């Protein structure tokens, strides 16, 4: 069975190729969609060169909106979401994320970094439900309301949807030796911290 991979990306030119290239080597990830969310750098060009289908949004609409646009383009029922700034991604990680859905055991997996880097491991230990690495069924994703407006609240909203349901099943899967680049590393300490606070505010709105 095939899987659609959706990678929302905002100004990820230096990082996107590594992620797309790994996904392209995987046997069942035939549909690889990068949604460049109003990027002002060459994210879209680099993603295309690496082999992805690219949707270029003219303005930045936020992560949740970008994911929804990607889902509307997706060919398959199993969706795999990945962040564009992962460091150390391997085919085994993709397999761990999608296998429980391929077997029909659950409707969503959430990937948790393990032994990546202390700072990102700790973050995910405290709030695993925020992880951007997850596989979910398309029909369920499309049932969650207001994801377009959720920005960084998208993962919290998805997790809430599962918590409230009697029937939907999810599991956490460990992703060894994987990490991502933190906002402070991408943007500098001050701007990164400001963006982090904005992100927490966007998440808080969805934790009801
Ligand atoms: O407005 C935005 C902000 C972020 N992203 C993407 O969403 C993913 C997670 O964002 P980020 O790395 O900023 O989150 P962090 O991991 O630092 O919390 C990355 O692929 C970003 O490029 C996006 O598509 N639109
Ligand atoms: O884990 C977290 O607390 C945040 C912040 O991670 P960093 O402090 O930048 O390592 O990152 C995640 O949360 C966002 C909101 O759910 C997701 O959109 C990101 O994909 C995810 O990396």
């Amino acid at each position: 069975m095939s899987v659609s991979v959706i990678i929302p990306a905002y100004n990820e030119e230096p990082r996107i190729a590594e992620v797309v290239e790994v996904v392209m080597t995987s046997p069942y990830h035939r549909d690889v969609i990068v949604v460049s969310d109003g990027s002002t750098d060459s994210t879209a060009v680099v993603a295309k060169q690496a082999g992805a289908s690219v949707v270029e949004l003219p303005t930045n609409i936020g992560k949740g909106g970008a994911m929804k646009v990607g889902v509307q383009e997706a060919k398959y029922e199993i969706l795999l979401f990945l962040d564009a700034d992962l460091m150390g991604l391997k085919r085994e990680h993709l397999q761990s994320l999608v296998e429980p859905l391929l077997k029909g055991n659950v409707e969503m997996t959430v990937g948790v970094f393990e032994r990546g880097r202390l700072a990102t491991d700790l973050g995910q230990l405290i709030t695993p439900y925020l992880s951007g690495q997850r596989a979910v069924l398309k029909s369920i994703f499309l049932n969650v309301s207001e994801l377009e407006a959720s920005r960084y609240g998208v993962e919290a909203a998805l997790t809430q949807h599962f918590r409230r349901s009697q029937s939907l099943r999810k599991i956490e899967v460990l992703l060894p030796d994987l990490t991502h680049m933190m906002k402070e590393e991408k943007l500098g300490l001050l701007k990164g911290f400001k963006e982090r606070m904005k992100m927490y505010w966007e998440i808080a709105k969805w934790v009801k």
Side-chain angles (χ1 to χ4, degrees), residues 8-10 12 35 37 60 62-63 66 82-85 151-152 180-183 186 199:
Y10 176 56
E12 301 283 8
V35 182
D37 183 15
N60 177 257
K63 188 183 183 196
L82 298 172
D83 286 349
D85 59 353
R151 300 193 74 95
Y152 280 114
H180 66 190
M181 191 167 270
M182 292 188 287
K183 291 185 171 32
K186 287 187 207 171
M199 173 179 79

Side-chain angles (χ1 to χ4, degrees), residues 9-26:
Y10 176 56
N11 289 345
E12 301 283 8
E13 179 187 337
R15 296 167 283 274
I16 185 79
E18 180 186 327
V19 175
V20 173
E21 277 161 13
V22 174
V23 177
M24 297 306 293
T25 67
S26 165

